[in-house]
Amino acid sequence: MLKKQTRQASGGGAEMAVRRGRPPGDPEVKRVELLKAATSTIAEEGYANASLRKVAQRAGYTTGAVTYYFANKEELVLALVESRFDRYDAMLEGIQAETAIEALFERWLRLTTSDPEFWPVMSELLAHARHDPALAAVYKQRYGRFREVYTSIIAAGQVRGTVRDDISADLLADQLSAMADGWALLFPLEPERFTPGRVRELVDAAVALIAPVPGARR
C-alpha cells in the first residue's frame, strides 16, 4: 500500500514538472501564434506599449507561456523581425529563376500591401533599432542579404538586355529598394493611393525607369 502511494506521489510530481515545463501543443504553432499576437499588439499600440503580458493576453496564453518561447521582449522582437525577412527571402527564392524585375516589384508590393500590419510594425521596429544594437544588426544583415539578391536579379536582367546597364546593378538595387520602401511606409497612411490599378501603374513606371537606354551602354 505504501509503495502504491509512493508511486502515485511520484507520478504526480512528474506531472507537475511537465506542467511547469514546455506548454502543451505544437511548439512551432505556438511560436507563430505568439509572433502574430506581437505583430498586432505593436501595430495597434506601438513598440513601447507592447508588453509580454499584452502579447500573452492577445494570444490567449499566460505570460509564462510566452517566456517559455521568448525569454524577454527583446528576444520576441528579434524573432519577429527575422520572421518578416524570412517572408522576403521566400519571395526572392520564387523569383530568382525567372529574374524578371516586373514580377519582383509586383510580388513585393503584393506582400507588403496585402497585410495592413506589415509596415506599421516594421517602421516601429526600424525606429527602435536606432537605439538597440542587436536589433539594428539584424536589420543590417538581413536587409543587406535582400539587396545582394536584388542586385543579382538586376545584373541578370542587364546581361539579357532587359535592364539598362549604364548604371551599376548595385546602385539600381539600392535606388529601387529605397523607392519601394517609401511606397510601403506611406501605404498605411495613404491607402487610397495604392489601389490595384495605381499599383499596376507604379510597377510599370518603375520598370520604365530601368529600361535599357539606347546608345547608353557602358
Side-chain angles (χ1 to χ4, degrees):
M1 183 66 177
L2 180 60
K3 290 182 179 179
K4 183 178 180 181
Q5 289 175 336
T6 302
R7 284 197 300 271
Q8 288 176 337
S10 175
E15 184 179 348
M16 289 300 293
V18 170
R19 288 176 182 171
R20 287 193 296 267
R22 178 173 66 82
D26 186 329
E28 189 54 37
V29 170
K30 288 190 176 297
R31 278 180 60 88
V32 170
E33 290 175 346
L34 289 171
L35 290 176
K36 286 182 178 178
T39 298
S40 297
T41 304
I42 294 171
E44 293 180 16
E45 303 189 38
Y47 174 86
N49 296 317
S51 65
L52 291 183
R53 179 180 59 80
K54 289 182 178 179
V55 171
Q57 288 176 341
R58 188 177 290 267
Y61 297 146
T62 64
T63 304
V66 179
T67 55
Y68 177 83
Y69 294 101
F70 307 101
N72 48 45
K73 179 178 176 179
E74 289 71 25
E75 189 174 302
L76 172 62
V77 167
L78 287 175
L80 176 56
V81 172
E82 293 278 13
S83 71
R84 292 285 162 139
F85 276 105
D86 286 344
R87 293 173 66 182
Y88 278 146
D89 289 348
M91 176 196 70
L92 289 174
E93 274 186 36
I95 201 70
Q96 270 186 286
E98 51 188 294
T99 63
I101 300 300
E102 185 173 3
L104 175 59
F105 262 109
E106 288 176 342
R107 294 186 192 183
W108 188 92
L109 279 168
R110 192 181 310 132
L111 169 67
T112 58
T113 59
S114 62
D115 179 358
E117 294 178 337
F118 191 97
W119 275 104
V121 170
M122 291 298 273
S123 57
E124 276 275 338
L125 297 182
L126 182 59
H128 178 71
R130 292 180 54 214
H131 310 288
D132 185 334
L135 186 57
V138 170
Y139 263 101
K140 289 170 65 176
Q141 190 270 327
R142 295 299 299 266
Y143 206 102
R145 172 60 183 158
F146 173 78
R147 284 197 306 271
E148 284 179 10
V149 177
Y150 205 166
T151 298
S152 70
I153 292 173
I154 291 174
Q158 289 177 325
V159 171
R160 291 202 318 273
T162 57
V163 176
R164 63 187 300 169
D165 66 355
D166 57 321
I167 300 174
S168 66
D170 66 309
L171 285 177
L172 285 177
D174 222 335
Q175 290 281 7
L176 292 174
S177 295
M179 181 171 65
D181 286 344
W183 294 344
L185 285 169
L186 287 172
F187 170 69
L189 302 177
E190 301 178 280
E192 68 279 0
R193 284 182 56 205
F194 298 94
T195 61
R198 184 170 171 78
V199 166
R200 176 71 259 173
E201 292 175 350
L202 287 171
V203 170
D204 290 344
V207 172
L209 288 173
I210 62 171
V213 180
R217 298 185 64 83
R218 286 182 290 134

